[in-house]
Amino acid sequence: MSALTRRGFLGVLGGAALAAAGCAEISGELLRSRLTLPRPFTVPLPIPEVARPVRPGRYEVTQRAARIEIIPGTTTEVLGYGGTFPGPTFDLRRGSRVTVAVRNELSVPTSTHLHGGVTPPGSDGYPTDLVAPGGGTKDYDYPLEQRAATLWYHDHRMDFTGPQVWRGLAGMALVRDKEEDALPLPRGERELPLMICDRAFDEDGSFRYPSPPESGHTGHMGGHMGGHMAAVDGDYMEGVEGDVILVNGAPWPVAEVTATRYRLRLLNASNARRYRLRLTPGGRFTQIGSDSGLLAAPVAHDELPISPGERYDVVVDFSAYPVGTAVTLVNTLADGPARNVMRFVVARRAADDTAVPAVLSRPPGRVAPVTTRGFDFRRSAEGVWTINGRPYRPGVPLARPRLGTAEVWRLSSDFHHPVHVHLAHFLVLARNGRAPAASDAGWKDTVDVRPYEVVDVLARFDGHRGRYMLHCHNLEHEDMAMMADFEVI
Ligand SMILES: [Cu+2]
């Protein structure tokens, strides 16, 4: 169905009819590759390099263009942190403040956001807080006064986050702490960061992205849409989905594993695609952590929905399968090639002294909220993605929560809007007035708000005063103004 048809369709039908029509779980428009897709499960799973500090507490990373082999037999120009895609993984400790000096040698401005970070406002990657192309630099200061968690970092440039992340500006950051160290969880080679995203490729191997004709493919210029630069063609304003699934930058990779437990740090780094992950021929994910840290106790899932920006920290026990089994991670929301994500092949038995304890951690408890505020995520009559009826207005906060307090934020929606709040972590309290989903467990920074849903979250404002934002993490919605400032006072 074309975007235009779907748009008309959305306007006419309500949520129930949409669900009955079977497209209620799809959050974007498919963009097909123009080259022969590689065979799945042939490329080995890459593990991104771990960033090394230039001296204790200081990292330096250069954003630059580089040509790498993603689709076997061809090359792709990426815009990468360190010239790689994904960028290096930052392996960090709670309370060990670091500075990351970013140097921008690209031809476009950038702004780097540490997603899930409790970061002072000047280092939070505000969309207009830009690092100039052609050698501009900025020191990002990360105090890391926060619990162990799976974070990630990515570009957050005003109006162009979608195309710039699509071209490679993203990587993972892990925060560890003593509470996690004490647990007998799988580690080392049995702890795998898995950055999952979809992309489309042109016949020459370059990334395909539907920029409007006037904007050029690097996004120097652009058309205007509701007062904002449009980085994506209007047919794709619901979001861009590619037909190739990459894990750690490799198409449908394969990883040999031993018949032991593995810790998988799952991240959906896609612009718009939602996944419902399952293991075939069967198997369970034992969830140990959410976006913002370890759960109090593990939660078992047969399948895991994951929307853009979300993370799930899970343990999979491959000793449950006979040696030789191919265990495929699939996305049951997709058909065709994009249904596959990656494969594990259980190669041999091995000793395993790990366990998933019944008590994992002591997360912060609930605090009584001081107020309730509503944030409505909706397409306006003019076809602009809005929050509370307004496209993004930089510098105009929609809320002024007090430092050290908690508030209930009621998030309502007309479509799939994965809502991300900077700085504040939150607990999901209710969906449509009922109990949250099993996958909503734990402290989070991004929540999958589905069409015509009302999701109540309890958000804590800790760490820093200043200007932050909340926005939709469907990057095409974000670029088309579905963002708002709030100020912690
Ligand atoms: Cu959205």
Side-chain angles (χ1 to χ4, degrees):
M1 194 182 301
S2 81
L4 199 68
T5 327
R6 171 111 52 89
R7 209 150 35 231
F9 192 65
L10 259 176
V12 174
L13 300 180
L18 200 70
C23 55
E25 298 290 343
I26 307 299
S27 46
E29 198 67 31
L30 185 66
L31 180 67
R32 288 183 196 282
S33 294
R34 289 169 167 158
L35 46 63
T36 306
L37 302 184
R39 280 185 35 234
F41 320 129
T42 53
V43 179
L45 174 75
I47 302 296
E49 258 183 56
V50 174
R52 287 172 182 225
V54 291
R55 60 172 191 267
R58 184 176 176 87
Y59 294 85
E60 293 175 358
V61 61
T62 298
Q63 299 174 312
R64 55 187 175 83
R67 208 157 254 297
I68 62 176
E69 184 170 350
I70 296 176
I71 304 294
T74 187
T75 59
T76 305
E77 187 188 79
V78 302
L79 311 185
Y81 289 91
T84 66
F85 170 59
T89 300
F90 289 84
D91 203 327
L92 306 167
R93 297 287 307 181
R94 176 179 190 166
S96 294
R97 171 183 295 267
V98 299
T99 298
V100 179
V102 173
R103 179 179 169 84
N104 179 4
E105 288 183 359
L106 302 170
S107 60
V108 291
T110 64
S111 178
T112 298
H113 173 55
L114 178 63
H115 184 128
V118 179
T119 303
S123 292
D124 194 48
Y126 194 71
T128 55
D129 197 354
L130 298 170
V131 181
T137 60
K138 179 178 170 70
D139 281 2
Y140 289 89
D141 182 29
Y142 301 120
L144 301 171
E145 297 288 354
Q146 59 187 106
R147 305 175 66 225
T150 304
L151 311 185
W152 64 302
Y153 61 95
H154 59 80
D155 185 55
H156 212 295
R157 177 190 169 196
M158 181 77 126
D159 300 335
F160 289 92
T161 296
Q164 294 190 180
V165 170
W166 185 270
R167 295 198 165 81
L169 288 173
M172 293 180 84
L174 312 177
V175 180
R176 302 180 191 275
D177 65 10
K178 285 183 186 156
E179 189 178 43
E180 185 193 284
D181 291 345
L183 298 174
L185 296 171
R187 58 191 76 217
E189 290 184 347
R190 295 182 190 167
E191 179 194 339
L192 304 177
L194 299 177
M195 177 194 277
I196 302 168
C197 62
D198 56 345
R199 295 291 185 267
F201 294 85
D202 239 317
E203 43 291 63
D204 63 357
S206 60
F207 284 133
R208 231 191 132 198
Y209 188 84
S211 301
E214 66 272 29
S215 75
H217 74 283
T218 53
H220 286 288
M221 318 191 338
H224 274 263
M225 186 144 203
H228 283 261
M229 309 279 279
V232 69
D233 185 278
D235 282 350
Y236 289 85
M237 75 172 286
E238 282 173 0
V240 183
E241 298 194 350
D243 55 359
V244 177
I245 307 300
L246 306 178
V247 182
N248 295 346
W252 301 294
V254 59
E256 262 197 8
V257 293
T258 52
T260 59
R261 289 185 194 85
Y262 277 69
R263 178 179 186 178
L264 310 179
R265 296 181 183 257
L266 302 165
L267 157 66
N268 182 356
S270 307
N271 281 31
R273 183 182 287 277
R274 299 170 68 252
Y275 301 75
R276 194 164 56 209
L277 298 174
R278 271 193 98 91
L279 295 165
T280 62
R284 295 191 123 185
F285 304 103
T286 302
Q287 186 189 355
I288 57 169
S290 53
D291 297 336
S292 309
L294 292 166
L295 303 180
V299 179
H301 303 274
D302 291 325
E303 56 182 27
L304 270 178
I306 182 167
S307 68
E310 285 189 298
R311 288 88 69 209
Y312 287 96
D313 201 341
V314 302
V315 171
V316 172
D317 187 356
F318 290 104
S319 74
Y321 306 91
V323 167
T325 306
V327 183
T328 308
L329 184 66
V330 300
N331 169 22
T332 64
L333 297 182
D335 294 314
R339 190 175 175 88
N340 288 319
V341 177
M342 68 169 290
R343 175 168 285 175
F344 303 92
V345 175
V346 183
R348 61 187 177 281
R349 296 188 188 289
D352 189 2
D353 58 359
T354 68
V356 179
V359 176
L360 293 165
S361 75
R362 299 184 56 145
R366 290 188 183 194
V367 188
V370 297
T371 190
T372 298
R373 304 181 200 264
F375 297 95
D376 184 50
F377 290 72
R378 196 166 296 273
R379 189 202 308 251
S380 71
E382 299 78 40
V384 179
W385 294 113
T386 64
I387 301 177
N388 288 353
R390 300 291 295 265
Y392 183 44
R393 289 167 293 165
V396 182
L398 293 197
R400 284 197 170 83
R402 288 193 173 279
L403 185 71
T405 67
E407 300 187 354
V408 173
W409 282 13
R410 175 161 288 183
L411 312 170
S412 54
S413 170
D414 63 343
F415 190 60
H416 289 282
H417 296 302
V419 175
H420 173 45
V421 182
H422 288 211
L423 180 77
H425 296 161
F426 54 73
L427 291 170
V428 181
L429 298 176
R431 285 187 180 266
N432 288 337
R434 292 192 285 272
S439 52
D440 289 328
W443 287 91
K444 293 172 62 60
D445 57 54
T446 307
V447 63
D448 184 22
V449 183
R450 302 167 74 245
Y452 308 101
E453 251 186 338
V454 177
V455 178
D456 289 336
V457 302
L458 176 72
R460 283 182 64 139
F461 301 91
D462 287 328
H464 307 278
R465 288 190 173 84
R467 179 181 63 179
Y468 293 94
M469 51 195 332
L470 76 157
H471 61 85
C472 178
H473 217 286
N474 175 316
L475 300 186
E476 282 72 39
H477 299 188
E478 172 179 342
D479 282 344
M480 279 182 279
M482 199 171 241
M483 301 197 287
D485 283 3
F486 66 91
E487 185 183 4
V488 180
I489 59 171

